[in-house]
Amino acid sequence: MTFGEQPAYLRVAKDLRQQIADGKLPPHTRLPSQARIREVYGVSDTVALEARKVLMAEGLVEGRSGSGTYVRERPVPRSVARTAYRGTGPTTPFRQEQAAEGARGTWDSRSEQTEAPPEIAARLGVEPGDRVMRTRYVFRDAGEPMMLSTSWEPLAVTGRTPVMLPEEGPLGGCGVVERMAAIDVVVDNVAEEVGARPGLADELAELGGVPGHVVLVVARTYYASGRAVETADLVVPADRYRISYHLPVK
């Protein structure tokens, strides 16, 4: 192999990937067998196997027990809108944002008191082990899981107040800014950091993905006068959604 030349398995994977993109191998079509790949490309069984593994890791194909490997249906990515806070109102920021994209957003949630793990404690500016309210969400678009979120709020801020449980009480589900305002905590800044990683098994099970799929992660923290009052991780399947920001210019 000369300098700069791709390994054989990547060249085979690239050609098969192009056939999928061009529609020569449409969705639900069986991928050429390992023996057929070996014959067509003049490569070894090992190269043929590795090429198939690449396509599977990229989410382009999927194995079906006892049947073979097939080209996956490729969804058209939709937007998960992220906007500047829009002010108070009878609905939640999630519903406001998804309504702007023509989506029908609903969610399930579960809250529990727990101790802040070190990473979350650092984001909230508290000590590891301090008590926090953790809330886990599954957000849906027309019934299809589209996003997971885990939120942590320091009980030093919300404990023994009407907004201690984010999804219960008179302001349940109204969003962090409005809930904090009800206890005289004025949120004046929010930071979001977007990254990507392979989805965890339990995340992909809830989102309907396959092992190895990549997820987008938004690490969000709300601040009031420099003090973190909530932090959350939002997890979105990268093959089905794109995170779209709409921010005002000041």
Side-chain angles (χ1 to χ4, degrees):
M1 183 174 69
T2 60
F3 178 76
E5 185 180 353
Q6 280 190 320
Y9 76 95
L10 289 181
R11 295 200 304 273
V12 173
K14 179 179 180 180
D15 187 73
L16 291 171
R17 187 189 301 114
Q18 191 61 52
Q19 291 186 51
I20 293 171
D22 291 343
K24 295 177 181 178
L25 289 172
H28 311 296
T29 299
R30 185 173 179 176
L31 194 71
S33 67
Q34 190 167 313
R36 180 62 178 164
I37 292 175
R38 183 187 62 208
E39 177 185 345
V40 170
Y41 294 96
V43 296
S44 66
D45 280 333
T46 300
V47 168
L49 177 60
E50 290 302 314
R52 289 158 63 91
K53 286 182 178 179
V54 168
L55 298 178
M56 191 167 291
E58 292 175 347
L60 295 174
V61 301
E62 61 184 352
R64 299 180 186 175
S65 180
S67 179
T69 304
Y70 291 80
V71 177
R72 292 184 65 242
E73 186 81 44
R74 298 293 291 171
V76 177
R78 297 187 57 181
S79 291
V80 174
R82 308 293 300 153
T83 67
Y85 181 67
R86 300 186 182 185
T88 59
T91 187
T92 67
F94 171 73
R95 279 184 173 157
Q96 288 177 352
E97 292 166 351
Q98 298 317 109
E101 298 295 324
R104 292 170 287 169
T106 60
W107 70 90
D108 298 324
S109 66
R110 183 180 72 255
S111 296
E112 60 182 346
Q113 294 189 38
T114 186
E115 296 181 351
E119 179 186 353
I120 297 304
R123 285 163 56 173
L124 289 173
V126 301
E127 294 295 322
D130 281 1
R131 302 295 291 175
V132 295
M133 182 66 70
R134 179 178 65 199
T135 305
R136 300 184 185 277
Y137 296 88
V138 180
F139 294 93
R140 295 182 172 85
D141 170 13
E144 176 186 326
M146 62 172 292
M147 179 170 66
L148 306 177
S149 175
T150 304
S151 165
W152 296 267
E153 295 180 355
L155 288 173
V157 175
T158 61
R160 298 184 180 181
T161 73
V163 300
M164 184 174 72
L165 291 168
E167 296 296 321
E168 296 184 21
L171 292 175
C174 284
V176 174
V177 177
E178 187 172 359
R179 288 175 47 250
M180 293 296 167
I183 57 173
D184 298 322
V185 175
V186 179
V187 173
D188 54 19
N189 193 19
V190 57
E192 293 193 351
E193 183 177 275
V194 182
R197 59 167 171 77
L200 305 179
D202 58 339
E203 293 171 340
L204 295 174
E206 289 191 274
L207 291 169
V210 299
H213 269 195
V214 171
V215 295
L216 301 172
V217 182
V218 180
R220 180 198 68 202
T221 305
Y222 282 105
Y223 296 91
S225 299
R227 181 184 188 182
V229 296
E230 189 258 14
T231 194
D233 285 336
L234 288 67
V235 178
V236 180
D239 65 326
R240 283 182 279 149
Y241 291 93
R242 298 290 182 266
I243 297 176
S244 174
Y245 282 86
H246 304 271
L247 304 175
V249 177
K250 295 184 179 180

